[in-house]
């Protein structure tokens, strides 16, 4: 069944996203979807295409544009991740990414607040009370949104500390089962300061090098976006990539070549922030949909 | 063997020599984290269920089940009666063992009866069945609520979401694996 209502909403929302960024001086860019060397990440598997790869995110190309002197840019594009299929996942999905020089992840959290309020008004939702309703929950977009560190969230909701979860290789399992259901219930939540090992392309906190300046935005338990202060040190970035490649090989997967051209470009990249937001999930939120199938024209199974 | 990426609702597997059916399945993957495959598995003999979270590298064995084609005749209380189309032998399967299949069974339908060590434990339905709509609220023209679907009741008592143009008496094709509406069919 083609979800006509969801498609109408999707079109309006994408138009509003474009207007928002263009009005604020961001350059809309398009970068190649098919690339020779993706960023190696332990748990994100790219699809291959004639010996190259379909992008899992436009991150590396967009950072090369930052390094080339474009200070503010955004892109809405298709990304591909092998084997990801569920109520909130499609192996081919739509991503919004935006990058800005000379800012850090705190500024980015403010961007998210302004963007969602703008969209709610543009979509005719929540413009009066500033309240978004999704799956029987009411989320207040108005006041300052909750910001909670990963360590604090585990302390509050999980049966063990974040260090114990990492040591037992149960971080993701416990996050999904105990922590995520509590996030974004009253206001949206920024889950921030991830353990240093869980942010392959993020800068470590200058005040606490055990955590990365990375956050995930949750609304009503739905994970919407992942943002961070960008790592701009090419030596550190190479070491992180090699560690990720090692983790990939341990899973018996082929990790592809290192993105050398990107590592070269990092030499001239200014301090910056970047964020990836799942557009399909954003549409789900505004359409009241509990399944990603309700906001796309066709699913892989329906082709 | 099934790997985690093959997991889906309705999959029949074997654990410690006993057959299980996956009655619920969900995929989740936080941020840049590991893929998690959460499954609810029901023992097809005892009916006991348990939940387990699997990871990408986990595998489950295929269940060693035999199948024979039988015709559904009628139900008596909670027992459903099936007949072998060749030998005319009849057997009973309980409502509990049939699970969601009771939503799609109509008289004289051919199904595959599953047997484990000679005991009937469930049925496999055709992937698609045609069922008549017995109750449907009329669609209000000019409805601007923006909803794409409405619920209707089928001849088996099953309630399904369909597009607004479906009316009482229509025959609908239903996917028995997912329980969702596929299309309206002509008689």
């Amino acid at each position: 069944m083609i979800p006509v209502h969801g498609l109408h909403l999707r079109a309006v929302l994408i138009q509003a996203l474009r207007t928002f960024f263009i009005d604020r001086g961001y350059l809309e860019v398009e970068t190649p979807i098919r690339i020779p060397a993706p960023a190696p990440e332990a748990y994100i598997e790219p699809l291959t295409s004639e010996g190259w790869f379909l992008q899992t995110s436009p991150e590396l190309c967009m950072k090369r544009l930052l390094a080339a002197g474009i200070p503010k840019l955004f892109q809405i594009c298709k990304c591909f991740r092998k084997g990801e299929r569920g109520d909130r996942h499609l192996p081919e999905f739509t991503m919004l990414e935006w990058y800005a020089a000379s800012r850090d992840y705190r500024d980015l959290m403010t961007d998210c607040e302004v963007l969602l309020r703008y969209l709610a008004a543009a979509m005719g939702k929540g413009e009066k009370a500033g309240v978004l309703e999704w799956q029987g929950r009411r989320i207040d977009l108005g006041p300052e949104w909750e910001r909670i560190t990963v360590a604090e969230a585990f302390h509050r909701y999980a049966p063990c500390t974040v260090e114990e979860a990492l040591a037992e290789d149960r971080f993701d399992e416990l996050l999904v089962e105990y922590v995520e259901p509590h996030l974004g219930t009253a206001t949206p939540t920024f889950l921030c300061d991830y353990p240093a090992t869980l942010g392959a392309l993020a800068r470590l906190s200058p005040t606490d090098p055990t955590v990365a300046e990375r956050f995930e935005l949750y609304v009503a338990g739905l994970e919407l976006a992942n943002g961070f202060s960008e790592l701009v040190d090419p030596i550190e970035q190479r070491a992180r990539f090699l560690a990720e490649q090692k983790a990939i090989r341990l899973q018996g997967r082929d990790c592809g070549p290192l993105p050398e051209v990107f590592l070269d470009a990092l030499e001239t990249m200014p301090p910056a922030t970047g964020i990836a937001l799942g557009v399909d999930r954003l549409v789900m939120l505004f359409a009241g949909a509990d399944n990603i199938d309700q906001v796309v024209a066709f699913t892989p199974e329906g082709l | 063997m099934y790997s985690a990426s093959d997991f889906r609702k309705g999959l029949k597997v074997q654990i410690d020599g006993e057959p299980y059916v996956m009655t619920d399945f969900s995929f989740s993957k936080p941020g840049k984290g590991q893929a998690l495959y959460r499954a609810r598995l029901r023992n097809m003999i005892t009916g006991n269920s348990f939940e387990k979270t699997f990871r990408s590298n986990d595998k489950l064995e295929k269940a060693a089940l035999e199948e024979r084609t039988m015709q559904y005749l009628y139900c008596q209380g909670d027992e459903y009666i099936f007949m072998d189309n060749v030998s005319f032998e009849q057997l009973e399967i309980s409502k509990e063992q049939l699970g969601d299949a009771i939503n799609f069974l109509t008289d004289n339908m051919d199904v595959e009866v599953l047997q484990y060590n000679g005991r009937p434990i469930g049925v496999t339905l055709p992937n698609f069945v045609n069922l008549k709509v017995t109750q449907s609220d009329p669609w209000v023209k000019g409805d601007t609520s923006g909803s794409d679907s409405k619920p209707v009741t089928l001849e088996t008592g099953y309630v399904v979401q369909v597009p607004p143009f479906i009316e009482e008496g229509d025959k609908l094709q239903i996917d028995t694996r997912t329980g969702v509406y596929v299309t309206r069919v002509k008689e």
Side-chain angles (χ1 to χ4, degrees), chain A:
Chain A
M1 199 166 13
I2 294 172
V4 180
H5 172 60
L7 294 186
H8 276 281
L9 230 145
R10 183 185 184 94
V12 174
L13 188 119
I14 289 176
Q15 200 57 50
L17 283 175
R18 283 215 158 84
T19 307
F20 178 87
F21 285 102
I22 291 167
D23 284 354
R24 283 159 184 77
Y26 283 77
L27 180 70
E28 178 165 15
V29 298
E30 285 186 292
T31 57
I33 284 176
R34 196 170 149 266
I35 54 176
E41 294 199 60
Y43 300 114
I44 297 179
E45 188 173 357
L47 288 164
T48 54
S49 161
E50 300 270 331
W52 282 25
F53 301 88
L54 300 183
Q55 68 179 5
T56 59
S57 149
E59 182 163 1
L60 301 190
C61 281
M62 293 188 74
K63 287 187 189 170
R64 283 178 65 189
L65 294 176
L66 265 174
I70 300 174
K72 292 162 88 177
L73 63 158
F74 80 101
Q75 176 162 209
I76 297 170
C77 61
K78 283 298 181 85
C79 293
F80 302 82
R81 293 183 180 181
K82 192 173 172 181
E84 299 195 6
R85 181 70 176 110
D87 292 351
R88 295 169 180 193
H89 290 84
L90 284 166
E92 172 179 345
F93 61 101
T94 302
M95 193 88 104
L96 160 69
E97 297 209 359
W98 73 93
Y99 291 81
S102 314
R103 310 181 80 214
D104 74 11
Y105 77 142
R106 289 172 200 86
D107 303 315
L108 202 47
M109 290 188 229
T110 307
D111 281 356
C112 290
E113 296 180 359
V114 176
L115 173 64
L116 252 74
R117 282 184 204 123
Y118 173 88
L119 292 175
M123 306 299 289
K125 287 204 176 193
E127 69 272 55
K128 280 185 197 129
V131 169
L132 189 68
E133 290 192 29
W134 189 70
Q135 298 295 312
R137 304 196 202 182
R138 293 166 61 82
I139 298 105
D140 193 345
L141 300 179
E144 199 158 295
W145 299 354
E146 182 186 32
R147 296 184 183 190
I148 180 172
T149 66
V150 172
E152 172 62 19
F154 267 73
H155 176 69
R156 206 181 286 178
Y157 306 120
C160 68
T161 66
V162 62
E163 290 79 14
E164 287 163 350
L166 286 168
E168 291 171 26
D169 190 23
R170 294 183 68 205
F171 178 85
D172 295 311
E173 203 179 313
L174 298 176
L175 180 71
V176 168
E177 185 163 352
Y178 294 98
V179 180
E180 284 190 344
H182 297 284
L183 303 180
T185 50
T187 71
T189 296
F190 295 106
L191 182 65
C192 44
D193 297 356
Y194 273 66
T197 50
L198 301 180
L201 292 120
R203 181 177 83 187
L204 298 185
S205 162
T207 53
D208 177 5
T210 66
V211 298
E213 287 194 344
R214 172 187 164 200
F215 69 82
E216 295 267 357
L217 170 60
Y218 285 88
V219 182
L222 185 68
E223 178 200 322
L224 207 55
N226 171 54
F228 40 80
S229 304
E230 301 293 349
L231 175 64
V232 292
D233 174 351
I235 295 165
E236 170 71 12
Q237 184 66 80
R238 180 181 296 275
R240 301 251 198 110
F241 279 168
L242 290 172
E244 293 292 318
Q245 285 198 331
K246 196 173 160 194
I248 293 170
R249 278 194 293 265
L250 278 174
Q251 298 166 36
R253 287 201 282 124
D254 184 15
C255 53
L258 271 184
E260 294 291 349
V261 186
F262 163 74
L263 288 167
D264 287 347
L266 267 191
E267 303 275 358
T268 56
M269 188 174 135
T273 55
I275 180 166
L277 184 152
V279 173
D280 309 282
R281 292 192 190 167
L282 191 63
V283 183
M284 283 172 70
L285 206 57
F286 283 101
D290 62 350
N291 192 310
I292 199 165
D293 295 10
Q294 293 163 17
V295 298
V296 292
F298 300 102
T299 59
E301 298 80 13
L303 288 174

